[in-house]
Every structure is written in structure tokens, then in C-alpha cells.
Amino acid sequence: DTEVTQTPKHLVMGMTNKKSLKCEQHMGHRAMYWYKQKAKKPPELMFVYSYEKLSINESVPSRFSPECPNSSLLNLHLHALQPEDSALYLCATRRNSGGTQETQYFGPGTRLLVL
Amino acid sequence: GESVGLHLPTLSVQEGDNSIINCAYSNSASDYFIWYKQESGKGPQFIIDIRSNMDKRQGQRVTVLLNKTVKHLSLQIAATQPGDSAVYFCAENLSGTSYGKLTFGQGTILTVHP
């Protein structure tokens, strides 16, 4: 099973709202990633969690707050977003067994629209 | 049909043709490369990967070629089908990069006409 699930599939929120995106995997992967993808562009890395600890923050604004409550779940909390934050938000996972030559597997994404 | 990395991001082919999608990667220290397929409204889907100690790897209808001398990666799709229409991204992993950070190419749009 190489499935990564994300909820919700679509989300519309106002600039004063607070919402959360969820990602779940049951492959036993210990690295989890959040990416942002704008239309017709490649994914841009936002955060990396390794063994449930935040390892990389790619200078993401504080209105995005990641959380990894356990090895299967990854959340992205959203607050006071701007219209330019509208994008496809992708979760990815990787086995993280120690080497770097490992595939990242992506979820289907959450399409976010900020009004 | 054949695309050329960043400069020709769109490739149109007829069903049944072979397709070649090219990617010029940036770092000679990269040791692992992945091709992803992304259909409209979906997340990137793993197609095939290759390690830097190889120059060719084959999958079902797909072949990846790696030329480290010129830092070039290509994806060949045999007997292209309408279901292959998507955006294709190459990604490279820099050797020694922590946590498997990938650098993505800009992508190539493949359109297959019936």
C-alpha cells in the first residue's frame, strides 16, 4: 500500500478563518512533507518532518503552522491567509531508512482557495 | 516526439507514437532522480527512478536514461496513449542532502492526440 490520503479535497476560506489540512499514511514512512504548488509550476517544499520532529522549514510565513501528532498523521494549520496563498497543497512521505535515494510518494492534494 | 526541458515545455504526440521528455538537471552531485506524472487536479504520481550509478532503467512502457556527463535525464514512453497526457516532472536529490530534499524541474506538458 503506497497510499497517502489528504483531507479535505477542496477548501474555501476567508482571510480571517482558521482551518486545517490533514494528511495520513500507513506505510510506516518516517519522513513527511508539505509542499505548495501553484498552477503550471512544480511543487515547492514548505516543511519536512523526520521521526515526528520538524527538520526543515523553508522560510514559510507563520500563518502556516505544521504539526505531526504521530508517525501516521501530518497537519497544516492555516490562519489569516492571503489570496496569494491559494494553491494545491500536497503532502508527501518517504521511508527515511537512512539513505537519501528513496522515493517520495505524494497524496492527491488539497485545493485551497482564499477569498 | 521530443521536448527540450525548460525551453519547450509542451509536447504533442499522436497515439501510438513514442514520446521523449527531457530534463537538464542542475547539480553534478545529485545521486538520485525521479520522474513524476501529474494529471490535472491530482498529486504527482511516481513513474520511475534511477540512481546515479546507472545510466538506464526500464519499467512498463517507460525507460529513463541518465547522462551524467552532460547532466541530462530523459523519460521515454513507448506507444503513448491518451491516458499518458499529463505534466511530467523530473526531480533530483542532491547527494548528502538531509531528509531527501528534492529539486524539481519546471515540468513538460504531454498531450496525446487519439
Side-chain angles (χ1 to χ4, degrees):
Chain A
D1 182 10
T2 57
E3 188 175 4
V4 179
T5 59
Q6 291 187 244
T7 56
K9 192 173 176 63
H10 301 278
L11 179 62
V12 180
M13 60 186 291
M15 289 188 285
T16 58
N17 291 158
K18 286 185 181 181
K19 296 287 184 183
S20 296
L21 310 184
K22 295 185 185 302
C23 174
E24 188 167 5
Q25 58 96 7
H26 295 287
M27 296 178 281
H29 288 184
R30 303 307 297 274
M32 298 184 77
Y33 305 75
W34 280 116
Y35 287 86
K36 173 183 178 180
Q37 186 179 28
K38 299 287 252 184
K40 299 194 186 305
K41 295 290 186 182
E44 298 174 29
L45 182 65
M46 299 175 72
F47 302 104
V48 180
Y49 274 83
S50 177
Y51 293 89
E52 295 87 69
K53 294 194 186 307
L54 183 63
S55 302
I56 295 179
N57 176 340
E58 292 283 291
S59 302
V60 179
S62 59
R63 57 185 184 269
F64 295 91
S65 175
E67 178 196 20
C68 191
N70 60 56
S71 61
S72 299
L73 293 174
L74 184 67
N75 298 322
L76 186 63
H77 303 296
L78 315 173
H79 174 55
L81 294 195
Q82 303 297 309
E84 59 265 29
D85 297 322
S86 299
L88 181 68
Y89 287 85
L90 294 161
C91 173
T93 73
R94 176 173 157 268
R95 187 158 38 105
N96 202 25
S97 62
T100 58
Q101 297 178 342
E102 293 178 340
T103 303
Q104 286 186 30
Y105 295 95
F106 285 83
T110 293
R111 176 74 61 190
L112 174 67
L113 177 62
V114 182
L115 300 176
Chain B
E2 189 168 342
S3 76
V4 182
L6 296 174
H7 303 292
L8 287 174
T10 301
L11 175 64
S12 292
V13 300
Q14 291 295 127
E15 181 177 2
D17 287 352
N18 295 332
S19 302
I20 300 175
I21 301 171
N22 296 297
C23 177
Y25 65 91
S26 58
N27 199 309
S28 57
S30 293
D31 66 350
Y32 180 58
F33 304 87
I34 309 171
W35 279 102
Y36 289 97
K37 170 188 179 183
Q38 188 172 25
E39 296 175 88
S40 182
K42 297 184 178 180
Q45 176 188 357
F46 169 82
I47 302 173
I48 193 167
D49 60 359
I50 189 167
R51 292 178 168 78
S52 59
N53 61 352
M54 304 170 70
D55 52 22
K56 180 179 180 178
R57 190 159 190 232
Q58 289 185 287
Q60 188 176 11
R61 282 201 306 119
V62 294
T63 300
V64 55
L65 299 178
L66 175 63
N67 185 330
K68 294 181 288 294
T69 303
V70 294
K71 294 191 290 185
H72 184 267
L73 193 66
S74 69
L75 177 70
Q76 300 178 0
I77 306 174
T80 317
Q81 303 166 1
D84 295 327
S85 294
V87 179
Y88 289 80
F89 291 103
C90 64
E92 61 181 299
N93 181 87
L94 180 62
S95 175
T97 303
S98 60
Y99 312 114
K101 184 175 177 179
L102 295 176
T103 300
F104 285 85
Q106 291 303 304
T108 296
I109 302 171
L110 174 65
T111 303
V112 183
H113 301 283

Short mmCIF file of all heavy atoms in Angstrom, two decimals, chain A residues 9 33 35 37 40-43 45 48 50 55-56 58 88 90 94 100-108 111, chain B residues 31-32 34 36 38 41-44 46 49 51-52 89 93 95-102 104-106 109:
data_model
loop_
_atom_site.label_atom_id
_atom_site.label_comp_id
_atom_site.label_asym_id
_atom_site.label_seq_id
_atom_site.Cartn_x
_atom_site.Cartn_y
_atom_site.Cartn_z
N LYS A 9 -10.52 17.58 0.20
CA LYS A 9 -10.08 17.64 -1.19
C LYS A 9 -10.07 19.09 -1.69
O LYS A 9 -9.20 19.50 -2.44
CB LYS A 9 -11.01 16.78 -2.05
CG LYS A 9 -10.50 16.53 -3.46
CD LYS A 9 -11.40 15.53 -4.17
CE LYS A 9 -10.98 15.34 -5.61
NZ LYS A 9 -9.63 14.78 -5.72
N TYR A 33 6.20 15.42 4.37
CA TYR A 33 6.50 16.71 3.74
C TYR A 33 5.20 17.45 3.41
O TYR A 33 4.20 16.84 3.04
CB TYR A 33 7.23 16.50 2.41
CG TYR A 33 8.50 15.68 2.48
CD1 TYR A 33 8.45 14.30 2.64
CD2 TYR A 33 9.75 16.28 2.35
CE1 TYR A 33 9.61 13.54 2.70
CE2 TYR A 33 10.92 15.54 2.39
CZ TYR A 33 10.84 14.17 2.57
OH TYR A 33 12.00 13.42 2.62
N TYR A 35 4.13 20.43 0.67
CA TYR A 35 4.51 21.22 -0.50
C TYR A 35 3.34 22.13 -0.86
O TYR A 35 2.17 21.80 -0.65
CB TYR A 35 4.76 20.33 -1.71
CG TYR A 35 6.03 19.52 -1.69
CD1 TYR A 35 6.09 18.28 -1.07
CD2 TYR A 35 7.18 19.98 -2.35
CE1 TYR A 35 7.25 17.52 -1.08
CE2 TYR A 35 8.34 19.23 -2.37
CZ TYR A 35 8.37 18.00 -1.73
OH TYR A 35 9.52 17.26 -1.76
N GLN A 37 1.85 24.04 -4.37
CA GLN A 37 2.01 24.03 -5.81
C GLN A 37 1.03 25.01 -6.46
O GLN A 37 -0.18 24.85 -6.32
CB GLN A 37 1.80 22.62 -6.38
CG GLN A 37 2.10 22.53 -7.87
CD GLN A 37 1.92 21.15 -8.44
OE1 GLN A 37 1.13 20.36 -7.95
NE2 GLN A 37 2.68 20.83 -9.50
N LYS A 40 0.60 25.17 -12.99
CA LYS A 40 1.63 25.04 -14.02
C LYS A 40 3.05 25.28 -13.50
O LYS A 40 3.95 25.67 -14.23
CB LYS A 40 1.34 25.97 -15.20
CG LYS A 40 0.03 25.70 -15.90
CD LYS A 40 -0.08 26.40 -17.22
CE LYS A 40 -1.45 26.24 -17.86
NZ LYS A 40 -1.86 24.84 -18.00
N LYS A 41 3.23 25.05 -12.20
CA LYS A 41 4.55 25.16 -11.58
C LYS A 41 4.87 23.86 -10.85
O LYS A 41 3.96 23.10 -10.50
CB LYS A 41 4.57 26.32 -10.58
CG LYS A 41 4.37 27.69 -11.20
CD LYS A 41 5.57 28.09 -12.02
CE LYS A 41 5.43 29.52 -12.53
NZ LYS A 41 6.58 29.92 -13.37
N PRO A 42 6.14 23.59 -10.59
CA PRO A 42 6.48 22.41 -9.81
C PRO A 42 6.15 22.62 -8.33
O PRO A 42 5.98 23.76 -7.89
CB PRO A 42 7.99 22.26 -10.01
CG PRO A 42 8.46 23.65 -10.33
CD PRO A 42 7.33 24.31 -11.08
N PRO A 43 6.06 21.54 -7.57
CA PRO A 43 5.83 21.68 -6.12
C PRO A 43 7.00 22.42 -5.46
O PRO A 43 8.16 22.23 -5.81
CB PRO A 43 5.77 20.23 -5.64
CG PRO A 43 5.44 19.42 -6.85
CD PRO A 43 6.08 20.13 -7.99
N LEU A 45 8.76 23.02 -1.75
CA LEU A 45 8.83 22.47 -0.41
C LEU A 45 8.53 23.54 0.64
O LEU A 45 9.03 24.66 0.56
CB LEU A 45 10.22 21.88 -0.16
CG LEU A 45 10.44 21.21 1.19
CD1 LEU A 45 9.56 19.98 1.33
CD2 LEU A 45 11.91 20.84 1.36
N VAL A 48 9.48 19.82 6.33
CA VAL A 48 9.82 18.42 6.40
C VAL A 48 9.80 17.98 7.86
O VAL A 48 10.38 18.65 8.72
CB VAL A 48 11.23 18.12 5.83
CG1 VAL A 48 11.53 16.63 5.93
CG2 VAL A 48 11.36 18.60 4.40
N SER A 50 10.83 14.67 10.20
CA SER A 50 11.55 13.41 10.25
C SER A 50 11.38 12.83 11.64
O SER A 50 11.72 13.49 12.63
CB SER A 50 13.02 13.63 9.93
OG SER A 50 13.75 12.41 10.04
N SER A 55 12.10 19.21 10.81
CA SER A 55 13.50 19.21 10.42
C SER A 55 13.84 20.35 9.47
O SER A 55 14.96 20.85 9.48
CB SER A 55 13.84 17.88 9.75
OG SER A 55 13.56 16.80 10.61
N ILE A 56 12.89 20.70 8.62
CA ILE A 56 13.12 21.77 7.66
C ILE A 56 11.90 22.67 7.60
O ILE A 56 10.77 22.18 7.52
CB ILE A 56 13.42 21.23 6.25
CG1 ILE A 56 14.72 20.44 6.23
CG2 ILE A 56 13.49 22.37 5.23
CD1 ILE A 56 15.07 19.84 4.87
N GLU A 58 11.13 25.87 5.20
CA GLU A 58 11.69 26.63 4.09
C GLU A 58 11.23 28.09 4.14
O GLU A 58 10.67 28.62 3.18
CB GLU A 58 11.29 26.00 2.76
CG GLU A 58 11.93 24.64 2.52
CD GLU A 58 13.39 24.76 2.11
OE1 GLU A 58 13.66 25.24 0.99
OE2 GLU A 58 14.27 24.39 2.92
N LEU A 88 -2.55 24.41 -4.62
CA LEU A 88 -2.72 23.00 -4.29
C LEU A 88 -1.68 22.65 -3.23
O LEU A 88 -0.48 22.88 -3.44
CB LEU A 88 -2.51 22.13 -5.53
CG LEU A 88 -2.67 20.62 -5.36
CD1 LEU A 88 -4.13 20.25 -5.06
CD2 LEU A 88 -2.18 19.88 -6.60
N LEU A 90 0.17 19.85 -1.16
CA LEU A 90 0.48 18.43 -1.30
C LEU A 90 1.24 17.91 -0.08
O LEU A 90 2.14 18.58 0.44
CB LEU A 90 1.36 18.21 -2.53
CG LEU A 90 0.72 18.50 -3.89
CD1 LEU A 90 1.79 18.70 -4.96
CD2 LEU A 90 -0.22 17.38 -4.29
N ARG A 94 8.11 9.59 2.81
CA ARG A 94 9.30 8.86 2.37
C ARG A 94 9.71 7.95 3.50
O ARG A 94 9.56 8.28 4.66
CB ARG A 94 10.39 9.89 2.06
CG ARG A 94 11.73 9.37 1.68
CD ARG A 94 12.61 10.54 1.26
NE ARG A 94 13.99 10.19 1.39
CZ ARG A 94 14.73 10.42 2.48
NH1 ARG A 94 14.20 11.02 3.51
NH2 ARG A 94 15.99 10.05 2.52
N THR A 100 19.57 8.54 1.19
CA THR A 100 18.88 9.65 0.51
C THR A 100 18.21 9.20 -0.77
O THR A 100 17.43 9.94 -1.35
CB THR A 100 19.89 10.77 0.18
OG1 THR A 100 20.93 10.23 -0.65
CG2 THR A 100 20.48 11.34 1.45
N GLN A 101 18.50 7.98 -1.23
CA GLN A 101 17.95 7.53 -2.50
C GLN A 101 16.64 6.80 -2.28
O GLN A 101 16.53 5.60 -2.49
CB GLN A 101 18.98 6.64 -3.21
CG GLN A 101 20.26 7.38 -3.57
CD GLN A 101 21.29 6.49 -4.23
OE1 GLN A 101 21.22 5.27 -4.15
NE2 GLN A 101 22.26 7.08 -4.89
N GLU A 102 15.66 7.56 -1.80
CA GLU A 102 14.35 7.00 -1.53
C GLU A 102 13.29 7.86 -2.19
O GLU A 102 13.38 9.09 -2.19
CB GLU A 102 14.10 6.95 -0.02
CG GLU A 102 14.99 5.99 0.72
CD GLU A 102 14.72 6.02 2.22
OE1 GLU A 102 14.14 7.00 2.71
OE2 GLU A 102 15.11 5.05 2.90
N THR A 103 12.25 7.20 -2.69
CA THR A 103 11.18 7.89 -3.38
C THR A 103 10.27 8.61 -2.39
O THR A 103 9.99 8.12 -1.31
CB THR A 103 10.35 6.88 -4.17
OG1 THR A 103 11.22 6.18 -5.06
CG2 THR A 103 9.26 7.56 -4.98
N GLN A 104 9.80 9.78 -2.81
CA GLN A 104 8.73 10.44 -2.09
C GLN A 104 7.42 10.13 -2.80
O GLN A 104 7.32 10.24 -4.02
CB GLN A 104 8.94 11.96 -2.08
CG GLN A 104 10.05 12.42 -1.16
CD GLN A 104 10.15 13.92 -1.07
OE1 GLN A 104 9.17 14.64 -1.21
NE2 GLN A 104 11.36 14.41 -0.84
N TYR A 105 6.43 9.77 -1.99
CA TYR A 105 5.11 9.46 -2.52
C TYR A 105 4.14 10.57 -2.12
O TYR A 105 4.07 10.93 -0.95
CB TYR A 105 4.61 8.11 -1.99
CG TYR A 105 5.46 6.96 -2.47
CD1 TYR A 105 6.50 6.47 -1.69
CD2 TYR A 105 5.22 6.36 -3.71
CE1 TYR A 105 7.29 5.41 -2.13
CE2 TYR A 105 6.01 5.31 -4.15
CZ TYR A 105 7.04 4.85 -3.36
OH TYR A 105 7.82 3.81 -3.80
N PHE A 106 3.40 11.05 -3.10
CA PHE A 106 2.53 12.20 -2.88
C PHE A 106 1.07 11.78 -2.69
O PHE A 106 0.61 10.80 -3.27
CB PHE A 106 2.59 13.15 -4.08
CG PHE A 106 3.84 13.96 -4.13
CD1 PHE A 106 5.01 13.45 -4.68
CD2 PHE A 106 3.87 15.25 -3.62
CE1 PHE A 106 6.17 14.21 -4.73
CE2 PHE A 106 5.02 16.02 -3.66
CZ PHE A 106 6.18 15.49 -4.21
N GLY A 107 0.38 12.59 -1.90
CA GLY A 107 -1.06 12.47 -1.80
C GLY A 107 -1.74 13.22 -2.94
O GLY A 107 -1.07 13.85 -3.75
N PRO A 108 -3.07 13.19 -2.97
CA PRO A 108 -3.81 13.83 -4.05
C PRO A 108 -3.89 15.34 -3.93
O PRO A 108 -4.23 16.03 -4.89
CB PRO A 108 -5.21 13.21 -3.95
CG PRO A 108 -5.32 12.81 -2.51
CD PRO A 108 -3.95 12.42 -2.07
N ARG A 111 -7.01 21.36 -2.66
CA ARG A 111 -7.10 22.59 -3.46
C ARG A 111 -7.67 23.67 -2.56
O ARG A 111 -8.80 23.58 -2.12
CB ARG A 111 -8.02 22.36 -4.65
CG ARG A 111 -8.26 23.60 -5.51
CD ARG A 111 -7.07 23.97 -6.36
NE ARG A 111 -6.69 22.91 -7.30
CZ ARG A 111 -5.56 22.93 -8.01
NH1 ARG A 111 -4.73 23.95 -7.90
NH2 ARG A 111 -5.29 21.95 -8.83
N ASP B 31 22.48 12.39 -6.82
CA ASP B 31 22.73 10.95 -6.92
C ASP B 31 21.47 10.12 -7.12
O ASP B 31 21.54 8.88 -7.19
CB ASP B 31 23.48 10.46 -5.68
CG ASP B 31 22.64 10.58 -4.41
OD1 ASP B 31 21.56 11.22 -4.45
OD2 ASP B 31 23.09 10.06 -3.38
N TYR B 32 20.33 10.78 -7.23
CA TYR B 32 19.08 10.02 -7.34
C TYR B 32 18.10 10.90 -8.08
O TYR B 32 17.97 12.11 -7.79
CB TYR B 32 18.57 9.67 -5.94
CG TYR B 32 17.28 8.90 -5.88
CD1 TYR B 32 17.14 7.67 -6.51
CD2 TYR B 32 16.20 9.38 -5.15
CE1 TYR B 32 15.96 6.96 -6.44
CE2 TYR B 32 15.01 8.68 -5.07
CZ TYR B 32 14.90 7.47 -5.71
OH TYR B 32 13.74 6.75 -5.63
N ILE B 34 14.07 11.10 -10.02
CA ILE B 34 12.72 10.54 -10.08
C ILE B 34 11.93 11.25 -11.18
O ILE B 34 12.07 12.47 -11.36
CB ILE B 34 11.97 10.74 -8.74
CG1 ILE B 34 12.81 10.24 -7.56
CG2 ILE B 34 10.62 10.02 -8.76
CD1 ILE B 34 12.21 10.62 -6.20
N TYR B 36 8.00 12.02 -12.18
CA TYR B 36 6.63 12.00 -11.71
C TYR B 36 5.70 12.41 -12.85
O TYR B 36 6.04 13.24 -13.69
CB TYR B 36 6.43 13.00 -10.56
CG TYR B 36 7.07 12.63 -9.26
CD1 TYR B 36 8.32 13.14 -8.89
CD2 TYR B 36 6.42 11.78 -8.36
CE1 TYR B 36 8.90 12.81 -7.68
CE2 TYR B 36 6.99 11.46 -7.15
CZ TYR B 36 8.22 11.97 -6.81
OH TYR B 36 8.79 11.64 -5.60
N GLN B 38 1.87 14.04 -13.34
CA GLN B 38 0.80 14.72 -12.63
C GLN B 38 -0.35 15.03 -13.58
O GLN B 38 -0.22 15.85 -14.48
CB GLN B 38 1.29 16.00 -11.95
CG GLN B 38 0.25 16.63 -11.04
CD GLN B 38 0.78 17.79 -10.22
OE1 GLN B 38 1.74 18.44 -10.60
NE2 GLN B 38 0.14 18.07 -9.10
N GLY B 41 -5.55 18.16 -11.53
CA GLY B 41 -6.30 18.04 -10.29
C GLY B 41 -5.82 16.94 -9.36
O GLY B 41 -6.46 16.67 -8.34
N LYS B 42 -4.68 16.30 -9.68
CA LYS B 42 -4.17 15.21 -8.85
C LYS B 42 -2.76 15.52 -8.36
O LYS B 42 -2.11 16.44 -8.85
CB LYS B 42 -4.18 13.90 -9.63
CG LYS B 42 -5.56 13.45 -10.06
CD LYS B 42 -5.50 12.10 -10.74
CE LYS B 42 -6.89 11.62 -11.14
NZ LYS B 42 -6.84 10.28 -11.81
N GLY B 43 -2.31 14.73 -7.41
CA GLY B 43 -0.95 14.87 -6.94
C GLY B 43 0.03 14.16 -7.87
O GLY B 43 -0.36 13.31 -8.67
N PRO B 44 1.32 14.50 -7.78
CA PRO B 44 2.31 13.81 -8.61
C PRO B 44 2.35 12.32 -8.30
O PRO B 44 2.31 11.91 -7.15
CB PRO B 44 3.63 14.48 -8.20
CG PRO B 44 3.23 15.81 -7.66
CD PRO B 44 1.90 15.58 -6.99
N PHE B 46 4.45 8.76 -8.82
CA PHE B 46 5.76 8.20 -9.14
C PHE B 46 5.67 7.32 -10.39
O PHE B 46 4.76 6.50 -10.54
CB PHE B 46 6.23 7.35 -7.95
CG PHE B 46 7.44 6.50 -8.24
CD1 PHE B 46 8.69 7.05 -8.17
CD2 PHE B 46 7.31 5.16 -8.56
CE1 PHE B 46 9.81 6.28 -8.43
CE2 PHE B 46 8.41 4.38 -8.83
CZ PHE B 46 9.67 4.94 -8.76
N ASP B 49 12.39 5.67 -11.19
CA ASP B 49 13.53 6.36 -10.62
C ASP B 49 14.82 5.74 -11.13
O ASP B 49 14.81 4.67 -11.76
CB ASP B 49 13.49 6.34 -9.08
CG ASP B 49 13.49 4.93 -8.50
OD1 ASP B 49 13.50 3.94 -9.28
OD2 ASP B 49 13.44 4.81 -7.26
N ARG B 51 19.23 5.63 -10.01
CA ARG B 51 20.34 6.08 -9.18
C ARG B 51 21.51 6.50 -10.08
O ARG B 51 21.60 6.07 -11.23
CB ARG B 51 20.76 4.97 -8.22
CG ARG B 51 19.71 4.69 -7.16
CD ARG B 51 20.10 3.56 -6.22
NE ARG B 51 19.23 3.50 -5.05
CZ ARG B 51 18.01 2.99 -5.04
NH1 ARG B 51 17.50 2.50 -6.13
NH2 ARG B 51 17.31 2.99 -3.92
N SER B 52 22.38 7.29 -9.53
CA SER B 52 23.46 7.86 -10.35
C SER B 52 24.49 6.84 -10.80
O SER B 52 25.30 7.12 -11.68
CB SER B 52 24.16 8.98 -9.57
OG SER B 52 24.70 8.48 -8.36
N PHE B 89 7.24 15.78 -14.41
CA PHE B 89 8.30 16.47 -13.68
C PHE B 89 9.46 15.52 -13.44
O PHE B 89 9.25 14.38 -13.02
CB PHE B 89 7.81 16.96 -12.31
CG PHE B 89 6.80 18.07 -12.36
CD1 PHE B 89 5.46 17.80 -12.14
CD2 PHE B 89 7.19 19.37 -12.58
CE1 PHE B 89 4.52 18.82 -12.16
CE2 PHE B 89 6.26 20.40 -12.61
CZ PHE B 89 4.92 20.12 -12.41
N ASN B 93 17.77 14.50 -6.40
CA ASN B 93 18.12 14.54 -4.99
C ASN B 93 19.63 14.74 -4.89
O ASN B 93 20.41 13.95 -5.42
CB ASN B 93 17.73 13.22 -4.32
CG ASN B 93 18.05 13.23 -2.84
OD1 ASN B 93 17.25 13.66 -2.04
ND2 ASN B 93 19.23 12.77 -2.47
N SER B 95 23.12 14.52 -3.41
CA SER B 95 23.80 13.60 -2.50
C SER B 95 24.15 14.29 -1.19
O SER B 95 24.70 15.39 -1.19
CB SER B 95 25.08 13.10 -3.18
OG SER B 95 25.83 12.29 -2.29
N GLY B 96 23.80 13.64 -0.10
CA GLY B 96 24.12 14.20 1.20
C GLY B 96 23.10 15.17 1.72
O GLY B 96 23.19 15.62 2.86
N THR B 97 22.10 15.50 0.88
CA THR B 97 21.07 16.42 1.34
C THR B 97 20.24 15.76 2.43
O THR B 97 19.81 14.62 2.28
CB THR B 97 20.14 16.80 0.18
OG1 THR B 97 20.92 17.36 -0.86
CG2 THR B 97 19.08 17.78 0.62
N SER B 98 20.04 16.48 3.49
CA SER B 98 19.29 15.88 4.57
C SER B 98 17.83 15.73 4.21
O SER B 98 17.28 16.52 3.46
CB SER B 98 19.42 16.74 5.83
OG SER B 98 18.92 18.03 5.58
N TYR B 99 17.23 14.69 4.69
CA TYR B 99 15.80 14.47 4.59
C TYR B 99 15.29 14.34 3.16
O TYR B 99 14.13 14.55 2.89
CB TYR B 99 15.04 15.59 5.32
CG TYR B 99 15.64 15.82 6.68
CD1 TYR B 99 16.27 17.01 7.00
CD2 TYR B 99 15.62 14.81 7.64
CE1 TYR B 99 16.85 17.20 8.24
CE2 TYR B 99 16.20 14.99 8.88
CZ TYR B 99 16.81 16.20 9.17
OH TYR B 99 17.39 16.37 10.39
N GLY B 100 16.17 13.98 2.24
CA GLY B 100 15.74 13.69 0.88
C GLY B 100 15.11 14.86 0.16
O GLY B 100 14.15 14.70 -0.58
N LYS B 101 15.64 16.04 0.34
CA LYS B 101 15.07 17.21 -0.32
C LYS B 101 15.25 17.09 -1.82
O LYS B 101 16.34 16.85 -2.32
CB LYS B 101 15.76 18.47 0.20
CG LYS B 101 15.19 19.76 -0.36
CD LYS B 101 15.84 20.96 0.30
CE LYS B 101 15.33 22.25 -0.31
NZ LYS B 101 15.94 23.44 0.35
N LEU B 102 14.13 17.25 -2.53
CA LEU B 102 14.14 17.15 -3.99
C LEU B 102 14.12 18.51 -4.64
O LEU B 102 13.48 19.44 -4.14
CB LEU B 102 12.91 16.37 -4.46
CG LEU B 102 12.80 14.89 -4.06
CD1 LEU B 102 11.48 14.31 -4.54
CD2 LEU B 102 13.97 14.10 -4.62
N PHE B 104 12.87 20.05 -8.18
CA PHE B 104 12.04 19.69 -9.32
C PHE B 104 12.40 20.52 -10.55
O PHE B 104 12.73 21.71 -10.45
CB PHE B 104 10.56 19.93 -8.99
CG PHE B 104 9.97 18.91 -8.07
CD1 PHE B 104 10.10 19.03 -6.70
CD2 PHE B 104 9.28 17.81 -8.57
CE1 PHE B 104 9.56 18.09 -5.84
CE2 PHE B 104 8.73 16.86 -7.72
CZ PHE B 104 8.87 17.01 -6.35
N GLY B 105 12.28 19.88 -11.72
CA GLY B 105 12.32 20.62 -12.95
C GLY B 105 11.01 21.37 -13.16
O GLY B 105 10.06 21.19 -12.39
N GLN B 106 10.96 22.18 -14.20
CA GLN B 106 9.78 23.01 -14.43
C GLN B 106 8.60 22.25 -14.98
O GLN B 106 7.46 22.73 -14.94
CB GLN B 106 10.13 24.16 -15.37
CG GLN B 106 11.06 25.18 -14.73
CD GLN B 106 10.47 25.76 -13.45
OE1 GLN B 106 9.37 26.30 -13.45
NE2 GLN B 106 11.18 25.62 -12.34
N ILE B 109 4.46 19.48 -20.41
CA ILE B 109 3.08 19.07 -20.64
C ILE B 109 3.06 18.14 -21.85
O ILE B 109 3.46 18.52 -22.94
CB ILE B 109 2.18 20.29 -20.91
CG1 ILE B 109 2.24 21.26 -19.73
CG2 ILE B 109 0.74 19.84 -21.17
CD1 ILE B 109 1.56 22.59 -20.02
#
